[in-house]
Amino acid sequence: MTTKTPNAARRSEASRRAILTAAFELAGEIGYAKLTIEAIAARAGVGKQTIYRWWPSKGAVLFDAFLMLSEGQLPAGVGDGGEAEGEAAVGDTAAALPDTGDLEADLKAVLRATVAELADPRYDLPLRGLTSEIMHDADLAALYAERLHEPVQEMKRTRLRAARAAGQLDPDVDLDVAVELMWGPVLSRWLMRTAPLTEEFADSVVEAALRGLAPKA
Amino acid sequence: MTTKTPNAARRSEASRRAILTAAFELAGEIGYAKLTIEAIAARAGVGKQTIYRWWPSKGAVLFDAFLMLSEGQLPAGVGDGGEAEGEAAVGDTAAALPDTGDLEADLKAVLRATVAELADPRYDLPLRGLTSEIMHDADLAALYAERLHEPVQEMKRTRLRAARAAGQLDPDVDLDVAVELMWGPVLSRWLMRTAPLTEEFADSVVEAALRGLAPKA
C-alpha cells in the first residue's frame, strides 16, 4: 500500500511516535488550551508541516496519542501513572478487570485506580483536553466511542457478565446501565469539580450500585 | 456604591440583559467554540468595549447568562425549553422538586425532563460550552459549584431527605452520593456521547439507584 522503503517507513513511524509522545506530555504539562502544533513539533524535533500532513488538528493528534497509550505503545514513563492492579481507565494495557470472585472488592480496586489516575496531572490535563474535544465534536466522539471507549467498556461488561452468571447480579441487569451507574458518578464529579473525588466516594458508589443491581430477594 | 443616576443604572441593566441574552442565544445557535465577543456585541447592539468592561472573557459572559437563566431573569422564550413539571436542570425557576409521595415517579419525571433539556439544542450547545470552561478553569468551576450547582443540588437533597425521613431510603444514605448516582450517569452519557441518552436509560438509572439506596431489609 505504500511506496516507502523500509527505512523511510521506520523513520515515519519514529516521527509519528515522537509527535504523539510530545503531544501527550505537553498536554499534561501546560494543558490542552495552551497546546499548539508548533510546541508539539519543537518537542518532537519535526517540522510543523509533518504534523499537518498527518493530522488536521491538535485534537486529532491528542486522540491518536491516547489511542497509542491505550495500546501500550507509548514509551516507558509516559502515561505510566497507575500502580494499582486491575486499573481499567486510560493507559491500561491489561486485557481484563480483576476477577477474584469478590465483585465488590474487584470493582472498588478498579474504581479507586480510576480516581487515582484522574488525580494525576499527567492524565488529568490531557484527558480534560480530549474530553472537551469530544464534547464539541460529534465525529471525534464517535471515533472515541468506537476506538477508545468500547474496548474498555467491554472489559467492564465482561466482569459484570461473569458476576451476573454467578448469581451476584440480577439476571435482568442491563450491563451498560450497570457500568454507567459506577463510572458515571466518578466521571461527572471529576469533570464538574462539584465535590472532592475521593476513594471513599468511589467505594460508596460501588456499594450503593451493587445493592441496586443485586438479585431481587 | 455607584455614582450613576437612576436612568444610567437602568440603561446599564438593560445593556447587561441584552448582552447575556445574546450570549446565550448565540451559543445555542453556533456553539461555544465559534462564539465571539464581537458577535455578542453586534446581536446585543452594544460596543465590544462595553462587554470587555464588565467581563474578562466569553466564558465569563456565558456563565452570567446561565446565572440569569437560573434566576428566571432571561426574557420569555429564551431558555424556556422544559415543559415537564418538576424539571430541575438549568433554566428551572421552581423552588423544589415535585413531591407526590411517590419517590420513584418523582425522580423519573425530573430525570426525564433533564434528558429532554439536554437534547434541546438551545441548551445542549451553551451547556457544552459552559461545561468545557468549567473543566479547564478551576476558578470558574468553584464559582459554578457555589452559584449554579449548589442551589439545584440542595433541591435534590431536600427531596431525598424527605424520602429518607419517610423511611423510603436507608437512614445512612449520603445524599450527595445518592444524587450523583442518578445524575452522574446521565451527565456522563450526555457529555461523552458513548450511547444514546434516552428516557428509558433515565428510568433504569433511577430504578437501580433507588434499589441501591433503599432501607436494608
Side-chain angles (χ1 to χ4, degrees):
Chain A
M1 299 294 281
T2 173
T3 57
K4 279 177 186 163
T5 64
N7 272 344
R10 251 198 304 277
R11 276 199 304 276
S12 284
E13 181 55 25
S15 294
R16 192 178 159 273
R17 280 174 190 246
I19 291 163
L20 297 180
T21 303
F24 189 88
E25 287 177 349
L26 278 169
E29 290 166 20
I30 61 177
Y32 181 75
K34 292 184 186 147
L35 187 67
T36 61
I37 297 287
E38 286 77 0
I40 299 170
R43 165 93 46 122
V46 303
K48 273 195 326 186
Q49 286 315 313
T50 302
I51 299 182
Y52 282 121
R53 195 158 60 232
W54 291 336
W55 291 278
S57 66
K58 66 177 184 175
V61 181
L62 192 61
F63 179 86
D64 274 0
F66 271 98
L67 200 56
M68 188 163 80
L69 179 67
S70 77
E71 290 164 351
Q73 291 177 31
L74 277 196
V78 177
D80 188 24
E83 289 107 42
E85 282 184 44
E87 176 185 347
V90 171
D92 188 17
T93 57
L97 262 60
D99 188 349
T100 66
D102 184 340
L103 178 65
E104 184 172 316
D106 290 348
L107 291 173
K108 282 182 176 175
V110 175
L111 220 60
R112 280 170 172 241
T114 301
V115 166
E117 199 169 74
L118 294 174
D120 182 336
R122 284 178 304 167
Y123 288 99
D124 177 77
L125 288 175
L127 262 178
R128 285 183 191 278
L130 178 67
T131 303
S132 195
E133 288 299 293
I134 288 166
M135 277 170 49
H136 294 291
D137 181 340
D139 291 338
L140 189 67
L143 206 59
Y144 165 80
E146 181 197 332
R147 304 286 300 277
L148 278 167
H149 174 77
E150 176 55 28
V152 177
Q153 183 77 357
E154 181 54 23
M155 282 166 54
K156 295 171 186 170
R157 271 191 225 109
T158 299
R159 179 66 188 87
L160 295 173
R161 202 178 283 120
R164 194 174 61 182
Q168 295 165 340
L169 297 179
D170 190 82
D172 292 332
V173 156
D174 178 315
L175 298 176
D176 286 312
V177 170
V179 169
E180 204 80 82
L181 211 56
M182 288 178 268
W183 271 267
V186 167
L187 188 72
S188 130
R189 203 171 259 208
W190 169 63
L191 285 176
M192 306 301 283
R193 310 179 197 254
T194 45
L197 182 55
T198 61
E199 295 197 332
E200 291 67 34
F201 176 70
D203 286 356
S204 301
V205 167
V206 168
E207 286 166 22
L210 286 185
R211 281 191 71 211
L213 303 166
K216 294 175 177 89
Chain B
M1 299 291 283
T2 172
T3 57
K4 281 177 187 163
T5 64
N7 272 345
R10 253 197 303 277
R11 275 198 305 276
S12 285
E13 181 55 25
S15 294
R16 192 177 157 274
R17 279 173 191 247
I19 290 163
L20 297 181
T21 303
F24 189 86
E25 286 177 350
L26 278 169
E29 290 165 21
I30 61 176
Y32 181 76
K34 292 183 188 150
L35 186 68
T36 61
I37 296 288
E38 286 77 1
I40 299 171
R43 165 94 46 123
V46 304
K48 274 196 326 184
Q49 287 315 312
T50 304
I51 299 182
Y52 282 122
R53 195 158 60 231
W54 291 336
W55 291 278
S57 65
K58 67 177 183 175
V61 180
L62 192 62
F63 180 86
D64 275 0
F66 271 98
L67 199 57
M68 187 162 80
L69 179 66
S70 78
E71 291 164 354
Q73 293 178 31
L74 278 196
V78 177
D80 188 24
E83 290 106 42
E85 282 187 43
E87 175 185 348
V90 171
D92 188 18
T93 57
L97 260 62
D99 188 349
T100 66
D102 184 340
L103 180 64
E104 185 174 314
D106 290 348
L107 290 173
K108 281 181 177 175
V110 174
L111 220 60
R112 279 169 172 241
T114 301
V115 166
E117 198 169 75
L118 294 175
D120 182 336
R122 283 180 303 168
Y123 288 100
D124 176 76
L125 287 175
L127 262 179
R128 285 183 191 277
L130 179 66
T131 303
S132 195
E133 287 299 293
I134 288 167
M135 276 171 49
H136 293 291
D137 181 339
D139 291 338
L140 189 68
L143 206 59
Y144 165 80
E146 181 196 331
R147 304 287 298 277
L148 279 166
H149 173 77
E150 177 54 30
V152 177
Q153 183 76 0
E154 181 53 25
M155 282 165 55
K156 296 171 184 169
R157 271 190 226 111
T158 299
R159 179 65 187 87
L160 294 174
R161 201 178 284 119
R164 193 173 61 181
Q168 295 165 338
L169 297 179
D170 190 82
D172 292 333
V173 156
D174 178 314
L175 298 175
D176 286 312
V177 171
V179 170
E180 203 81 82
L181 211 56
M182 289 178 267
W183 271 267
V186 168
L187 188 72
S188 124
R189 205 172 256 208
W190 169 63
L191 285 176
M192 306 299 284
R193 311 179 196 255
T194 44
L197 182 55
T198 60
E199 294 196 333
E200 291 66 34
F201 176 70
D203 286 356
S204 300
V205 166
V206 168
E207 286 166 21
L210 286 186
R211 281 190 73 211
L213 302 166
K216 293 174 179 87

